Amino acid sequence: MEDVIKLPATEERETGQKRGPELQFDPQEETVKRQRNAKALVVLGEEDSSVKLLEDLVFGAEDELVDRLVAQDQDEQGGTLLDDDDEDNDDDNESEVENEARLQLPSVRKSAWEDEDDELEEEVDMSHRFRRNLTKGEAESTMSKQKLQQRMKEQFQKAMGGTPSWAETKVKKKIKKKADDSDEDEDEDNNLLRKTGNFVASSESLPSGILRMKKCLHANNARPSDDRLSTVQFHPSAQVVLTAGLDQSISLFQVDGKTNPKIQSVHLERFPIHKAQFSVDGETVVATGLKNKMFYLYDMMEGRVVPVLAVRGLNESRVKEFCVSPEGDSLLLTGTRGFLHVLTLKTKEVVRSMKINGNVSDVAFSHDGSKVFAHSEEGEVYVWDVRSSRCLNKFVDDGCVKGTSIAASRNGQYLACGSQSGVVNVYSQKECLNSADPRPQKTIMNLLTPATSLAFNPYSEILAIASRAEDEAIRLVHLPSLTVFSNFPVSKKKIVYRTSCLDFSPHSGFFSLANNKGRAPLFRLLHYKDF
């Protein structure tokens, strides 16, 4: 018996309801409808791909649609990767272009207007008195406007020490600042590896115009002299100063700028001192008199005074002017009738002599002690080789009628010659050795009386010039610019009087002088940090 599945009663009620007529499917009619609709769609949007996709979706062709969508997805993924690569390349190119744009200098601005006459090559007459200093020779009687403009630009830059900062563009300033910073870093590294010492000290060069200085208590305030001082000199290594003069005494003082206490004083009986000077090692003081052939050696280590009564090989009636050799083993004595004698301190005898025409007014050693510069009263300068006693060169001091003094800088760069008229010529030592007619780099005409004292500071940045014939006749010269400091001496009050000797401390921290009042005014040069 077959199983019979009974439907629920609700289904019977539902099936009992009336049903509409069933739709019959006609394949041929359906095919005709599809063709008709396809033609209509082609007419509406033949080139629209979205319409084509919609047509395939609605009216069949599912397999073709799926294949097309898969292929489109693959194309989109590949295109995205390629687009990312292109974007990265574009970013790299843009960054390279930006870097190149930063490195390139901005284009020069065009002039607001241009004058056609400026382009004409017009010749300018250079014989005019305002343009003579722009020529480099007599052949340049005329010059084009462009060349004259360039020459004036070069002269301006030379006077200013280079192109001034206000005339440089911002880009040039940045490039110059970066280059200076890199050079300074390299120099600092090299100096740090090359030497040891105090790196806190100032390395700036001495400025011109006004010299920063402070007046201190007199160097010999603890024991002032009753007569004219003839010598003041700082010790080469210790913080000590020496004074000597016509009161027949040599005094040593400690220099602190506040009290300057006396260390020791030595009295030489009936021996007015004309000049006294430390030896190179600072252990001995050499002192000569006014009219004596004898001179004294004061040994400071033993506290003993040794008189030198006679010198073998010296045929002079008196020993007055002398100079200590930088090597420290000999003295250079100035004799009469143009003679110069080299005396050894070890044996106290003359080993060689040199002679010039006329009388010797002053002598100076070169920085290494191998040469001697002698200034004659006839205005001639002689250059001698010490070892061979041979005259290397001779020239006439420019404009000099009678020579009075001479000094050589310690760096071997300058030679200063003073004259009876008060004029001081500053030469290049190199030219004085090689030229028969050297021209002075600067002629200093601030003194009106004979220039009797000249002294360079140890760093060869200051030249002190003075005359003992007039009060306050002293000047300090800034050598890099060859100009005179305007704030020394002070004109309102006399503090210097008549100067007979000048000297700087070993590191230019102090400056002192000997005057006719028996005082040694002391000044602190604030630019220099050490004694």
Side-chain angles (χ1 to χ4, degrees):
M1 187 175 176
E2 298 180 358
D3 295 332
V4 178
I5 300 174
K6 294 182 179 182
L7 297 173
T10 55
E11 294 181 359
E12 292 180 356
R13 288 196 297 269
E14 289 178 359
T15 57
Q17 294 178 0
K18 294 183 179 180
R19 296 181 180 177
E22 296 181 1
L23 297 175
Q24 297 180 354
F25 178 73
D26 189 358
Q28 295 181 355
E29 184 179 356
E30 185 68 24
T31 303
V32 173
K33 286 182 179 181
R34 287 185 179 184
Q35 292 177 356
R36 190 184 303 115
N37 292 332
K39 292 180 180 180
L41 289 173
V42 170
V43 173
L44 291 174
E46 185 177 1
E47 298 178 356
D48 194 347
S49 59
S50 62
V51 176
K52 182 66 174 173
L53 291 174
L54 182 61
E55 173 192 351
D56 294 338
L57 181 61
V58 175
F59 300 106
E62 290 85 355
D63 297 335
E64 295 180 1
L65 178 62
V66 171
D67 295 338
R68 187 180 301 172
L69 291 175
V70 172
Q72 185 174 357
D73 292 339
Q74 294 177 354
D75 292 341
E76 289 178 356
Q77 293 177 0
T80 304
L81 295 175
L82 292 175
D83 293 341
D84 294 339
D85 294 339
D86 293 339
E87 290 178 0
D88 295 339
N89 294 332
D90 293 340
D91 294 338
D92 295 339
N93 294 333
E94 289 177 0
S95 62
E96 292 178 0
V97 171
E98 290 177 357
N99 292 332
E100 292 178 358
R102 291 191 189 101
L103 294 175
Q104 290 178 353
L105 296 175
S107 58
V108 181
R109 294 181 179 179
K110 295 183 179 181
S111 304
W113 60 276
E114 295 181 359
D115 192 352
E116 297 179 355
D117 295 338
D118 293 341
E119 300 179 358
L120 299 178
E121 295 184 358
E122 182 180 352
E123 296 292 329
V124 180
D125 185 14
M126 301 302 295
S127 61
H128 194 275
R129 60 190 181 94
F130 290 152
R131 306 190 192 101
R132 290 175 186 171
N133 57 343
L134 297 175
T135 61
K136 295 183 179 180
E138 297 180 357
E140 292 183 337
S141 58
T142 59
M143 190 181 298
S144 62
K145 281 187 175 181
Q146 291 78 5
K147 189 174 181 180
L148 178 60
Q149 184 179 5
Q150 182 64 25
R151 190 70 58 82
M152 295 174 69
K153 182 179 179 181
E154 292 175 356
Q155 188 186 43
F156 176 76
Q157 291 180 354
K158 182 178 180 181
M160 297 293 294
T163 304
S165 58
W166 56 262
E168 294 180 349
T169 61
K170 294 182 179 179
V171 178
K172 287 185 178 179
K173 287 181 181 179
K174 292 181 180 179
I175 296 175
K176 185 177 180 181
K177 184 178 181 180
K178 290 180 179 179
D180 293 341
D181 293 341
S182 62
D183 293 341
E184 289 178 359
D185 295 339
E186 292 178 0
D187 293 340
E188 289 177 359
D189 295 340
N190 294 334
N191 292 332
L192 185 63
L193 297 174
R194 188 180 296 118
K195 63 180 181 180
T196 60
N198 184 13
F199 288 93
V200 182
S202 176
S203 61
E204 297 179 355
S205 59
L206 179 68
S208 60
I210 296 178
L211 180 63
R212 295 192 304 116
M213 61 193 311
K214 175 184 177 183
K215 186 180 181 300
C216 304
L217 197 67
H218 291 324
N220 64 339
N221 186 73
R223 187 192 179 278
S225 175
D226 297 331
D227 207 335
R228 177 174 64 88
L229 282 182
S230 59
T231 298
V232 62
Q233 187 188 16
F234 290 94
H235 193 275
S237 57
Q239 202 162 334
V240 175
V241 66
L242 173 149
T243 62
L246 302 183
D247 63 346
Q248 309 173 23
S249 62
I250 299 173
S251 301
L252 300 175
F253 303 90
Q254 183 180 354
V255 180
D256 59 5
K258 297 179 181 179
T259 59
N260 302 326
K262 186 184 76 169
I263 299 175
Q264 193 174 11
S265 183
V266 178
H267 182 76
L268 303 178
E269 189 68 27
R270 293 184 296 178
F271 193 83
I273 299 173
H274 173 73
K275 185 174 183 179
Q277 195 169 356
F278 284 111
S279 60
V280 174
D281 57 9
E283 297 181 357
T284 307
V285 176
V286 183
T288 59
L290 291 174
K291 300 180 180 180
N292 299 68
K293 186 177 181 179
M294 177 185 68
F295 63 93
Y296 284 93
L297 297 178
Y298 170 46
D299 190 341
M300 295 190 299
M301 304 302 294
E302 298 181 2
R304 183 165 53 94
V305 178
V306 179
V308 180
L309 302 177
V311 177
R312 185 186 305 174
L314 182 64
N315 297 320
E316 297 288 346
S317 60
R318 62 181 181 179
V319 176
K320 187 176 179 181
E321 295 289 345
F322 72 96
C323 187
V324 178
S325 168
E327 297 177 352
D329 58 347
S330 61
L331 299 178
L332 182 65
L333 305 178
T334 301
T336 57
R337 300 183 302 276
F339 277 99
L340 296 172
H341 308 284
V342 179
L343 179 145
T344 60
L345 291 174
K346 185 176 182 180
T347 60
K348 311 296 188 300
E349 63 180 353
V350 175
V351 293
R352 65 180 64 90
S353 297
M354 298 165 283
K355 188 180 185 306
I356 68 172
N357 297 329
N359 294 320
V360 180
S361 60
D362 199 8
V363 294
F365 274 100
S366 62
H367 64 285
D368 56 359
S370 62
K371 300 174 183 63
V372 171
F373 300 94
H375 203 188
S376 71
E377 292 184 356
E378 285 70 24
E380 294 179 327
V381 179
Y382 293 79
V383 184
W384 292 86
D385 182 77
V386 177
R387 293 185 178 181
S388 63
S389 300
R390 185 170 58 92
C391 183
L392 302 177
N393 193 19
K394 183 183 77 169
F395 63 91
V396 177
D397 186 13
D398 187 64
C400 177
V401 178
K402 182 179 180 180
T404 54
S405 57
I406 193 169
S409 63
R410 298 188 187 181
N411 66 349
Q413 184 177 357
Y414 302 105
L415 180 71
C417 300
S419 63
Q420 182 73 19
S421 61
V423 176
V424 178
N425 291 324
V426 180
Y427 295 91
S428 167
Q429 279 195 33
K430 187 177 180 180
E431 287 191 26
C432 294
L433 294 174
N434 302 322
S435 176
D437 186 22
R439 310 304 300 173
Q441 295 182 353
K442 180 68 175 181
T443 299
I444 304 168
M445 307 179 69
N446 294 77
L447 299 180
L448 303 178
T449 51
T452 53
S453 300
L454 303 175
F456 287 93
N457 79 320
Y459 296 118
S460 302
E461 293 180 323
I462 303 175
L463 170 63
I465 61 175
S467 173
R468 60 170 172 259
E470 187 179 353
D471 291 343
E472 309 298 307
I474 181 173
R475 296 292 184 272
L476 297 179
V477 182
H478 180 255
L479 289 174
S481 63
L482 294 174
T483 57
V484 177
F485 289 105
S486 60
N487 61 324
F488 185 81
V490 181
S491 59
K492 294 182 180 180
K493 183 179 179 181
K494 286 187 178 182
I495 56 176
V496 175
Y497 295 98
R498 300 191 179 189
T499 305
S500 56
C501 186
L502 307 162
D503 196 31
F504 292 89
S505 61
H507 296 283
S508 303
F510 287 89
F511 168 68
S512 185
L513 54 94
N515 63 19
N516 60 330
K517 300 294 183 179
R519 302 291 188 271
L522 183 67
F523 301 90
R524 175 73 174 94
L525 304 185
L526 301 177
H527 174 78
Y528 302 101
K529 306 303 180 184
D530 299 330
F531 176 76

